[in-house]
Amino acid sequence: GIQVEQSPPDLILQEGANSTLRCNFSDSVNNLQWFHQNPWGQLINLFYIPSGTKQNGRLSATTVATERYSLLYISSSQTTDSGVYFCAVEKETSGSRLTFGEGTQLTVNP
Amino acid sequence: NAGVTQTPKFQVLKTGQSMTLQCAQDMNHEYMSWYRQDPGMGLRLIHYSVGAGITDQGEVPNGYNVSRSTTEDFPLRLLSAAPSQTSVYFCASSFSLNRGAYSYEQYFGPGTRLTVT
């Protein structure tokens, strides 16, 4: 199956700092999503981005499918950004059989 | 819309007991999935369904059964609980056609925290 590697595994920031999270995957994919798991355990879909660039407020993501990686950018971080960020991929498009990375644990200190 | 709902939120079982985790979605999604999350790890796929009456195994299906009799519901059955099944279980749904556009994002329920003693 597809291997998904996320880096860094842990990241500690001061409020207001910027950060870049990386996701590498071992095979071509047609579905790539970024999720945020908040401290209460809820998983929130941030981006569906099998290729290209998207932005949503302070967050943006870029996937370079030909080079098998995706980046998640967080600008002007806030304490509410804390949690675990997961990258998940699938060879098909459906989103029903995602393979997850092990996540990046982000802590934003005030 | 309630989105994806799961019951119960917490459950404690003794080894050998059976139970059903309930999952429902009201977004008219075709696809539904069950994942488990163990401490410090990402999610692993247990079973999934691409429509009513159609299910298939994921990465870690042993010890679990599923069925999909309606589009809305996708229950997960633990046949004979084992301590190795202590985990947080997430149900998710995806794939819809809305106003001419396909949507492939996966949406998750709040999870069920299961402990097997």
Side-chain angles (χ1 to χ4, degrees), chain B residues 32-103:
Chain B
M32 297 185 74
S33 309
W34 276 102
Y35 296 86
R36 61 178 286 175
Q37 184 179 28
D38 299 309
M41 297 179 65
L43 281 71
R44 292 183 293 168
L45 182 65
I46 305 171
H47 286 286
Y48 67 98
S49 169
V50 298
I54 307 169
T55 64
D56 207 345
Q57 296 180 353
E59 179 186 355
V60 288
N62 292 342
Y64 308 96
N65 272 358
V66 293
S67 60
R68 184 119 178 256
S69 56
T70 67
T71 300
E72 295 78 17
D73 299 297
F74 191 42
L76 178 72
R77 282 183 289 278
L78 280 69
L79 308 173
S80 177
S84 60
Q85 294 179 304
T86 294
S87 190
V88 180
Y89 291 84
F90 288 97
C91 179
S93 69
S94 63
F95 188 60
S96 63
L97 176 60
N98 187 17
R99 297 181 184 176
Y102 287 104
S103 167

Side-chain angles (χ1 to χ4, degrees), chain A residues 2-81:
Chain A
I2 300 176
Q3 305 301 311
V4 181
E5 292 183 1
Q6 291 187 241
S7 58
D10 297 280
L11 186 59
I12 300 175
L13 302 174
Q14 287 300 120
E15 204 166 22
N18 302 328
S19 62
T20 301
L21 283 57
R22 187 176 179 101
C23 171
N24 292 333
F25 43 96
S26 62
D27 202 351
S28 59
V29 299
N30 287 294
N31 193 317
L32 186 147
Q33 302 184 35
W34 283 97
F35 296 90
H36 175 221
Q37 186 168 40
N38 65 26
W40 297 271
Q42 179 67 48
L43 283 152
I44 305 297
N45 191 301
L46 298 176
F47 293 104
Y48 165 74
I49 186 164
S51 63
T53 297
K54 288 187 178 179
Q55 180 157 7
N56 184 1
R58 296 181 295 103
L59 272 61
S60 64
T62 294
T63 298
V64 183
T66 53
E67 298 187 20
R68 300 180 185 169
Y69 73 89
S70 182
L71 302 173
L72 179 69
Y73 305 96
I74 305 174
S75 64
S76 305
S77 58
Q78 301 176 358
T79 55
T80 52
D81 294 331

Side-chain angles (χ1 to χ4, degrees), chain B residues 7-51:
Chain B
T7 56
K9 287 187 169 53
F10 301 94
Q11 183 70 50
V12 179
L13 291 178
K14 293 190 188 312
T15 298
Q17 287 184 318
S18 62
M19 79 160 295
T20 299
L21 279 61
Q22 301 292 345
C23 175
Q25 56 91 9
D26 62 359
M27 296 178 283
N28 202 30
H29 283 167
E30 284 297 312
Y31 301 158
M32 297 185 74
S33 309
W34 276 102
Y35 296 86
R36 61 178 286 175
Q37 184 179 28
D38 299 309
M41 297 179 65
L43 281 71
R44 292 183 293 168
L45 182 65
I46 305 171
H47 286 286
Y48 67 98
S49 169
V50 298

